[in-house]
Amino acid sequence: MMVERIMYVDSKTPVNCVFTVKINGVISEDHFKIALDKIQRKHPLLRAYIDHKNAKYPFFVEENDILPIPLRIVERKTDQDWLSESENEWYRIFEDPKKPLVQIVWVKGSAVSEILWVMPHSICDGTTGINLLRELCSLLDDPSAELGSYQTFSSVDDFLPADFNLKKNQRKARLYLIMAKLFFFIQSKSKKRNSGKNYALHRKLDTVISKKIVDKCKVNGISVHSLLCAAFMEAFKEFQGKKAKGKVISPVDVRNFIPEIKQDHIFAFAPTVELSLKKGQNLLENAQQIKKDLVEKIGKTEARELLWMGENMHPVVDRMISLLKSGKGGHDITLSNMGKIDIPNEYKNFKLETIYSPTVAFPWLNSNTLVVTTYNQQMDFTFMSNEDFLPKEDAKKIKDKAIELLTS
């Protein structure tokens, strides 16, 4: 799909998502192999590669003789090894047609381990990653469990409603394409690119502080997501002054709009909404307004049409990518709040101690990204960017200030 192509970028540019769990207990390597085999047999995209040579645009090809999901084992030495391994995996390129679009890293200790699930963003969203962690933990504990299977979608046409007016929308799509070509034609071409180091900052809040944030939201009739957006925009404003944009981009789970895409399906597209600070309002007033705006914008989202319209934009994808790589954008940060993670923490043979928020390193000029998850009543933050665009020390100040605003 066009949206998958944007996250694919090209054959030489990795954009990988890394999902990590921490486990207490002993894990069998044999169980690992059985679990990965069953997961690979369930999900068609884990038996595919990306062909970027034999057609005008790259496309997925299912490979009947695909190799098993690779498992890389490293010795666990510190509690931070998972984060350094995560950063290493950002730069893995999945290009071998005989190997699947996935890599597992087992940071193995005698009693404690972290498991990293690494995939190109072009095949997965946050819900995909969490589901794969859920399936893996279940099978590591009980390798006799069965997962079933499903047929992947062949094109975005599979999502079109019965009353979709094809002729009307084809005219609309052609007009959008003409407008897009004109837009990119008049855009000044910038050679600016990030050449600094990508980084990830991590912070896990304890149950007391996490509960304090949730209670604050309940008392004031706001959502955790709206408070997160308001707090981080305020923090950017405090440290960047007039340079701050006062806007965030928030991805929304596409499954909210297209129920044919199940919770346990691998899928990559997440519609986004833009949310803004309002001048002259305090933190809580902004959070209340953001909650209202978010509900309204989600209600207007036409995900099926967005996917279909996107397929008519393939001719300008390269120019879209070029603009993302060179443009500062109109937002402070992309903020993904994945909410409460629904994975058991007690298994027969081990305990799932915690889940870390996913990490990713975007090649865009504005690579500011925040992912928030909650597991076992603990909120977890990963803040990613590039030293060229946002120095790491500045990012630390913004992150700390935002958390201070959340908890004050």
Side-chain angles (χ1 to χ4, degrees), residues 13 20-21 46 79 112 117 129 151 179 205 229-230 269 282 298 304 309 325 335 360-361 365 404:
T13 306
T20 307
V21 294
L46 299 185
D79 288 340
V112 177
W117 194 289
Q151 291 293 317
M179 292 171 63
L205 305 183
C229 290
F269 172 55
N282 62 31
I298 287 177
R304 298 174 192 271
M309 284 291 182
K325 285 183 174 181
L335 194 159
V360 62
L365 185 62
E404 177 189 325

Side-chain angles (χ1 to χ4, degrees), residues 131-377:
N131 175 67
L132 290 171
L133 290 177
R134 183 186 298 112
E135 291 178 351
L136 181 59
C137 289
S138 175
L139 287 165
L140 286 176
D141 191 52
D142 179 12
S144 68
E146 296 298 333
L147 295 180
S149 62
Y150 62 94
Q151 291 293 317
T152 192
F153 305 104
S154 59
S155 79
V156 296
D157 291 346
D158 294 345
F159 305 125
L160 294 181
D163 60 350
F164 188 76
N165 189 324
L166 187 60
K167 283 188 176 181
K168 178 183 176 181
N169 282 284
Q170 282 176 334
R171 291 194 297 270
K172 187 177 177 182
R174 283 194 291 269
L175 177 61
Y176 281 6
L177 180 57
I178 291 170
M179 292 171 63
K181 287 181 175 179
L182 179 61
F183 170 78
F184 287 113
F185 178 77
I186 63 177
Q187 286 291 308
S188 58
K189 293 185 178 180
S190 171
K191 294 183 179 180
K192 172 67 176 174
R193 296 288 189 274
N194 274 333
S195 57
K197 178 180 172 58
N198 288 96
Y199 60 81
L201 303 174
H202 175 253
R203 173 83 181 271
K204 186 177 289 292
L205 305 183
D206 63 30
T207 54
V208 174
I209 297 176
S210 299
K211 185 177 185 300
K212 186 177 180 180
I213 295 171
V214 173
D215 290 344
K216 181 177 182 177
C217 292
K218 288 179 179 178
V219 168
N220 291 281
I222 56 180
S223 65
V224 172
H225 184 76
S226 64
L227 184 61
L228 284 167
C229 290
F232 273 86
M233 282 191 281
E234 287 284 2
F236 269 93
K237 182 179 175 182
E238 175 163 331
F239 288 100
Q240 294 190 331
K242 292 182 179 179
K243 290 183 179 180
K245 307 294 185 182
K247 295 181 185 294
V248 299
I249 292 175
S250 285
V252 183
D253 192 344
V254 70
R255 296 160 186 81
N256 295 331
F257 311 101
I258 306 178
E260 300 96 298
I261 306 169
K262 304 300 183 184
Q263 289 291 316
D264 64 341
H265 287 181
I266 290 182
F267 203 77
F269 172 55
T272 59
V273 295
E274 185 179 89
L275 302 165
S276 308
L277 282 180
K278 299 293 187 292
K279 292 181 180 180
Q281 294 188 340
N282 62 31
L283 180 72
L284 292 176
E285 289 170 338
N286 265 309
Q288 288 165 349
Q289 184 62 50
I290 287 168
K291 179 184 177 182
K292 181 180 176 182
D293 291 347
L294 181 61
V295 170
E296 183 179 327
K297 290 184 177 184
I298 287 177
K300 293 179 179 178
T301 299
E302 297 289 346
R304 298 174 192 271
E305 185 176 317
L306 280 173
L307 280 171
W308 187 86
M309 284 291 182
E311 292 311 279
N312 295 275
M313 297 294 160
H314 279 279
V316 294
V317 167
D318 288 341
R319 280 174 277 183
M320 290 180 185
I321 291 170
S322 179
L323 184 60
L324 286 166
K325 285 183 174 181
S326 62
K328 293 182 178 180
H331 60 289
D332 292 318
I333 195 165
T334 298
L335 194 159
S336 176
N337 175 30
M338 296 171 60
K340 294 180 181 178
I341 304 301
D342 181 22
I343 299 181
N345 69 317
E346 293 287 348
Y347 292 85
K348 289 182 294 183
N349 298 304
F350 56 81
K351 179 180 179 181
L352 202 167
E353 182 174 313
T354 197
I355 295 173
Y356 298 111
S357 295
T359 70
V360 62
F362 287 111
W364 320 139
L365 185 62
N366 185 344
S367 47
N368 295 349
T369 306
L370 176 75
V371 185
V372 184
T373 57
T374 301
Y375 186 71
N376 281 348
Q377 289 89 46

